[in-house]
Each structure stands twice: as C-alpha cells, then as structure tokens.
Amino acid sequence: MNKWYVENGEQGDIVISTRVRLARNLEDYPFPCRLTVKGKEAVCEEIKNVILENDTWGFSYAKMKDFTRAQAVSLAERHLISPEFASDRAGRALMLTDDEAVSIMLCEEDHIRLQVMMAGLALKEAYTVADKIDNIIGSKLNYAYDNRIGYLTQCPTNLGTAMRASVMLHLPALTRCGQIGKLASTVSKLGLTIRGAYGEGSSPRGDIYQLSNQITLGISEESALNNLQSITLQLVAQERAAAERLIENPVEEDKIFRAKGILENARVLSGDEFMELASLLRMGISCKAVDYDITRLNELVVRVQPATINAAEEKELTASQRDILRAKWVREALTV
C-alpha cells in the first residue's frame, strides 16, 4: 500500500501536507506524567482493545519499547510521533495504519494523541476521519471533559477542543524575499503560528514551515479549521506571486537548474544540502520551469532522513555512509 506522503493533494506544489491532531484523556486515570509504567500499559491496553474491536482502518499496534532507536527516531522524522515520544518509550504504544495516514500515540503528554495526515490541503477531510475515530473511542470510554471548559488536557494550552490542525507549507520565495518574520507576526494576530516543520523550536529546513492554530479554548473546531484554510490559501497566493517575480531573474532560475543537475548526478549528499536543493527544485516545479513528478520529491524528503536511512538498512551507518547512500537513492529516484 502506498504511503499517504507519496500522493500529491490539493495545492500540492506548496501545501505539502495537512495534519489534524486531537488530544484526549480518560476520566478514570491520572495524566500520563502521574502514571507508573504499569499504569501507562493499562491505559494503552484499554484504548487498544476499543480501537481494534471497531477497526475499519487497518490499525497495527506496537509497544514503543519494541522499536530500535533508529526505528523510533525514523517515526519522528516522518511526523508519526513526537521526538519526545521517541526518546522515552517506556509504557508507551503506537497505533498506525498501513498507509501511515492515521497514527495514535498512547500515553504521550496525554493518554491519546490521535492524528490524521493527508497530502496537500485537506483540513476538512482529515478532521472528518479524526472525528470518526474519536467518536468510536469516546462511545466506549469516558473522556475527561468539563461542560464549561471542554476536553481536559495535561497542557492548559490545549484545553477546549484539544485540536491542533496544521499544514506543512513550502515557502522558498517568501523566505528568500525576507517575508517570513512579517508573516509570523501577522498570522499570530489571527490565532495562528508559523514554525519549522518539526514544530516549536525547529528550523525551517528546505524552506518548509508548519502553520497551525494556536487557540483551542472558546472556539469551535469548524471555526478553527475555516480560519486555517483561509489563511493558508492567502499564503499560497503570496508564495506563487513571489516565486513568479523571483524566477524572472536569470540568476534565480539558474539556481533551480543547477539544483536539478546536482541532485541527478551527485555522489555524496548531506541531509541539509539535499533539503536545500530539493527546495529549489520544488520551486521550479511549482513555477513550471521544470517538468518533474513532485511526488518523487515528497517521498525522497521522507526516505532520506538520517534515522530513516539507518532503519531501512537495519544498521547504524556513519554520516559519510548515509551521504553516499542518500545521493544514490536520489539519483535513482530522479533519473527514472
């Protein structure tokens, strides 16, 4: 089965992916930070049984302690789990569909972190799937819920809907024009935040940013999704206009074709260099200066991350070994 990230969704040249995440806690247990390992395992077992008894999505279940370090970090590189979930695996479990579109972290910061990921701009579609799974769990287990506040979560910033919706955006032209700082200030006034691809504190490698809702209290899920959808489409329009102006400069156009040549021929590629060159090539595809299947890049961005390479090879490679293998995989993918 193809993974969701091999697809190219709506506005897919700029909106790489959509994620909708719901945080939930069970009324009968303390938050995970107050649970022992055995307590966490009991929570995981209870939730697992409910999901598998009502499963139409094809979930698998795995205890995090059974993953190697490389496998766990690879899951984080693919945005299926948080880096913190990968580093402390005791008592925790992961439920995952074959296409990796739906993942459920059990006993992360909250008992349940349910997330749905889809290619392109698909906020309402992702929320529909998340809501359906959430309702199944909620019909069998008692959620920690307050009629006045909403869903109760360990972190107060998630109280209310406990929903975080985000889109992954490729914004190379706006980055090169120095507009990201201004955009960050503007969207924050609209209840959104823009960060690096891996969330708070992460850098925007490859000019990839995560735009997400900040407000969960006193707002409905529908309003939050509509707000995010509207701002995303505005940013897409701004990026396209900036890219068209940028590529009129022969020097900038030359950078795109140099990036294409290096990616197709390099024998050694570091992760950072790949992301920089892939960003230029993706901008070229978006501007129709280059005729390429963008899904190849989507898959490569996931496949050539350090831990994901180690996990695929089932051994701990040195950085130099990974750089050689990364270049080989990129050449093979882009010159088919």
Side-chain angles (χ1 to χ4, degrees):
M1 178 181 287
N2 282 339
K3 307 302 184 188
W4 70 267
Y5 48 78
V6 181
E7 300 172 4
N8 183 31
E10 184 184 342
Q11 314 291 341
D13 57 324
I14 294 171
V15 185
I16 298 172
S17 64
T18 294
R19 181 183 73 174
V20 172
R21 190 195 73 201
L22 303 177
R24 300 288 186 261
N25 288 283
L26 304 187
E27 188 177 61
D28 300 333
Y29 294 88
F31 290 133
C33 65
R34 301 292 300 275
L35 286 170
T36 62
V37 170
K38 284 189 176 181
K40 291 178 183 178
E41 290 173 345
V43 169
C44 291
E45 194 70 18
E46 195 163 339
I47 298 167
K48 175 195 78 171
N49 290 338
V50 168
I51 294 173
L52 294 183
E53 285 169 6
N54 301 272
D55 183 18
T56 60
W57 293 274
F59 280 103
S60 62
Y61 175 85
K63 295 179 179 179
M64 286 304 298
K65 67 180 180 64
D66 293 336
F67 289 108
T68 65
R69 181 185 177 279
Q71 289 171 333
V73 176
S74 174
L75 290 167
E77 287 177 346
R78 279 137 58 203
H79 300 279
L80 299 174
I81 63 173
S82 63
E84 193 274 332
F85 198 70
S87 64
D88 181 8
R89 307 198 288 277
R92 292 170 160 176
L94 175 68
M95 302 198 71
L96 186 64
T97 56
D98 286 342
D99 62 358
E100 299 185 356
V102 186
S103 64
I104 305 175
M105 289 182 283
L106 301 181
C107 287
E108 196 232 26
E109 184 177 83
D110 297 290
H111 296 144
I112 297 170
R113 283 290 177 95
L114 161 64
Q115 72 170 24
V116 177
M117 299 185 73
M118 293 185 175
L121 182 59
L123 285 163
K124 291 179 181 177
E125 295 86 345
Y127 176 74
T128 297
V129 174
D131 187 51
K132 192 172 292 186
I133 299 170
D134 179 46
N135 287 338
I136 287 173
I137 302 171
S139 69
K140 303 290 183 180
L141 300 173
N142 294 323
Y143 283 147
Y145 184 86
D146 181 270
N147 289 329
R148 184 173 58 88
I149 297 174
Y151 292 101
L152 304 181
T153 55
Q154 182 175 309
C155 181
T157 59
N158 290 323
L159 289 170
T161 62
M163 181 192 77
R164 294 286 179 183
S166 63
V167 289
M168 206 76 77
L169 299 168
H170 180 234
L171 304 175
L174 290 173
T175 300
R176 284 161 175 73
C177 295
Q179 294 297 305
I180 299 299
K182 181 180 176 182
L183 285 175
S185 175
T186 300
V187 300
S188 69
K189 296 171 185 174
L190 301 170
L192 304 175
T193 182
I194 190 165
R195 298 167 172 160
Y198 288 91
E200 190 172 1
S202 65
S203 60
R205 294 177 69 221
D207 305 314
I208 296 174
Y209 298 84
Q210 184 183 108
L211 179 70
S212 59
N213 68 303
Q214 274 187 306
I215 301 169
T216 60
L217 193 60
I219 186 173
S220 69
E221 290 92 343
E222 183 180 13
S223 295
L225 292 170
N226 287 340
N227 187 40
L228 181 54
Q229 174 95 3
S230 173
I231 302 304
T232 297
L233 290 173
Q234 291 179 46
L235 291 184
V236 166
Q238 289 181 39
E239 171 61 28
R240 288 205 176 111
E244 285 179 11
R245 290 193 299 270
L246 196 66
I247 206 170
E248 288 175 357
N249 183 340
V251 174
E252 296 298 331
E253 185 182 23
D254 182 66
K255 289 177 184 177
I256 291 169
F257 283 91
R258 285 176 182 269
K260 178 177 180 288
I262 294 171
L263 288 170
E264 290 178 344
N265 294 282
R267 265 48 188 175
V268 179
L269 270 179
S270 70
D272 286 341
E273 184 181 17
F274 167 76
M275 292 298 289
E276 180 182 347
L277 296 171
S279 175
L280 286 165
L281 183 56
R282 178 181 279 274
M283 182 168 66
I285 296 169
S286 179
C287 293
K288 295 182 171 54
V290 180
D291 183 17
Y292 245 85
D293 182 359
I294 206 166
T295 60
R296 294 190 204 173
L297 273 184
N298 292 346
E299 184 175 15
L300 280 172
V301 167
V302 173
R303 188 183 174 205
V304 303
Q305 299 302 318
T308 301
I309 293 176
N310 286 344
E313 293 296 295
E314 298 183 343
K315 57 185 176 183
E316 193 73 24
L317 300 177
T318 65
S320 297
Q321 289 172 324
R322 286 196 301 270
D323 291 350
I324 293 169
L325 191 56
R326 181 182 292 111
K328 177 176 180 289
W329 288 356
V330 170
R331 286 198 313 274
E332 291 172 348
L334 297 185
T335 56
V336 172

